[in-house]
Amino acid sequence: MARTPNPYPSLDDATYTAVVNGRFVKSTFSNGNAGCLSFTAAGGLIGFQDDKLPPVERKARTLIFDQHEMAAFIAGAKNGDFDHFLD
């Protein structure tokens, strides 16, 4: 299997690979359906993948954030900062 190129210059390849190949989980609100975001954590980083994509593409498009970035996102979501996207 081909290695997914690391698009994050600030991450070493081993850390990037650990996140991209991590055990991803979905929200319990997804009802187990495809088409949801899946999350994993490795080395203090959180990875997001889109389940609608085929596995190889999903890995290539993994978004990676540190814990502070994820905490800011979650706080904003809880505060309703993104609710207007659902209208």
Side-chain angles (χ1 to χ4, degrees):
M1 180 152 94
R3 183 178 82 72
T4 304
N6 178 356
Y8 292 91
S10 62
L11 292 181
D12 62 81
D13 287 344
T15 301
Y16 174 76
T17 299
V19 174
V20 169
N21 293 309
R23 183 177 170 270
F24 282 78
V25 296
K26 299 184 210 188
S27 165
T28 56
F29 289 91
S30 72
N31 295 323
N33 296 326
C36 293
L37 289 176
S38 295
F39 303 88
T40 193
L45 300 170
I46 295 98
F48 287 68
Q49 290 183 346
D50 183 348
D51 287 354
K52 292 186 301 289
L53 301 172
V56 171
E57 202 172 331
R58 188 180 310 160
K59 288 182 183 227
R61 295 182 183 200
T62 300
L63 298 175
I64 300 174
F65 301 94
D66 67 29
Q67 292 177 346
H68 299 288
E69 293 165 326
M70 186 65 167
F73 170 75
I74 290 172
K78 287 180 178 179
N79 190 50
D81 293 354
F82 313 114
D83 288 358
H84 65 284
F85 291 116
L86 303 175
D87 292 337

